[in-house]
Amino acid sequence: MSITKSNTKAAALAAVLALIAGTQKHFPNGSLTFGNTTYTSASLITLLQSVANAITALNAAQLAAKHALTTLQGVLAQVEPVMQVYERFLQATFDSAAPTLADFGLEPRKEPTPLTSEEKAAAAAKARATRLARGTTSKKQKLTVKGNVTGITVTPITAPTAAPPASPETPVTPATPSAQTVSTTPSAPTPGTATK
């Protein structure tokens, strides 16, 4: 396996380590000639190991850089708000002293150039044209917009009734009438009813 840019570092490192292991196993000592060059096993292993060492060093450097970047982001998150407030304080304190602000690496705040009446009219016209093109309206104008809907038919959704599961028909045998006792003694009238 050749080491190219398309290979990942892990794959390249694995390929180099496999070449080293194979060389140590099959050519522990002696010399090899290929590519019009003669290598001893030890010199070939040293050459291959230099690539493995370089990849390992790169991995360590990238990991350290990633850690340093994370640390920097954490520090900036805490310090940047303080720096911004401090710079505003310095600009307010030394507003008219440009040399003093230059000692802090700051410049005096630039006052905005007042617009001429023609520039103001052009800006207002542009704002109106943009608002018209976008179709934006004010809050009060939005409240006056109402939608009219006609011809809507509402159909109620009814859940279909599930049919009872089909069961095999069993023959129905008529029940035998049980002997009922018939009372022949008159019962006492219930209270509150009139008797003749």
Side-chain angles (χ1 to χ4, degrees), residues 9 14 25 29 31 42 56 69 77 100 103 107-108 121 125 130 141 148 167 183 186-187 194:
K9 290 180 296 176
K25 181 177 180 180
N29 43 28
S31 63
T56 305
L69 179 62
T100 307
D103 291 340
E107 296 178 0
T130 302
Q141 287 173 328
N148 291 328
S167 60
S183 172
S187 60

Side-chain angles (χ1 to χ4, degrees), residues 2-9 12:
S2 62
I3 300 172
T4 62
K5 289 184 178 180
S6 63
N7 300 126
T8 63
K9 290 180 296 176

Side-chain angles (χ1 to χ4, degrees), residues 16 33 38 46 49 51 64 66 93 133 140 149 158 166 175 181 183:
V16 170
T33 303
T38 301
T46 303
Q49 188 63 48
V51 176
K66 185 176 180 181
T93 304
K140 287 184 179 180
V149 180
T158 57
T181 55
S183 172

Side-chain angles (χ1 to χ4, degrees), residues 2 14 37 58 95 100 113 119 126 148 164 179 190 194:
S2 62
T37 308
L58 177 61
D95 191 26
T100 307
T113 308
E119 290 172 334
K126 185 176 180 180
N148 291 328
T190 57

Side-chain angles (χ1 to χ4, degrees), residues 22-108:
T23 303
Q24 289 172 336
K25 181 177 180 180
H26 296 286
F27 303 107
N29 43 28
S31 63
L32 302 166
T33 303
F34 51 88
N36 296 328
T37 308
T38 301
Y39 299 95
T40 64
S41 294
S43 66
L44 186 58
I45 290 172
T46 303
L47 190 64
L48 295 171
Q49 188 63 48
S50 66
V51 176
N53 293 343
I55 293 173
T56 305
L58 177 61
N59 286 340
Q62 287 178 333
L63 185 62
K66 185 176 180 181
H67 177 69
L69 179 62
T70 304
T71 303
L72 173 63
Q73 289 171 342
V75 169
L76 284 178
Q78 292 177 348
V79 177
E80 271 187 335
V82 176
M83 288 175 58
Q84 290 172 356
V85 173
Y86 184 46
E87 287 174 358
R88 286 196 297 266
F89 166 77
L90 292 172
Q91 286 176 334
T93 304
F94 303 110
D95 191 26
S96 59
T100 307
L101 283 175
D103 291 340
F104 293 98
L106 300 174
E107 296 178 0

Side-chain angles (χ1 to χ4, degrees), residues 147-166:
N148 291 328
V149 180
T150 58
I152 298 293
T153 305
V154 178
T155 306
I157 298 174
T158 57
T161 56

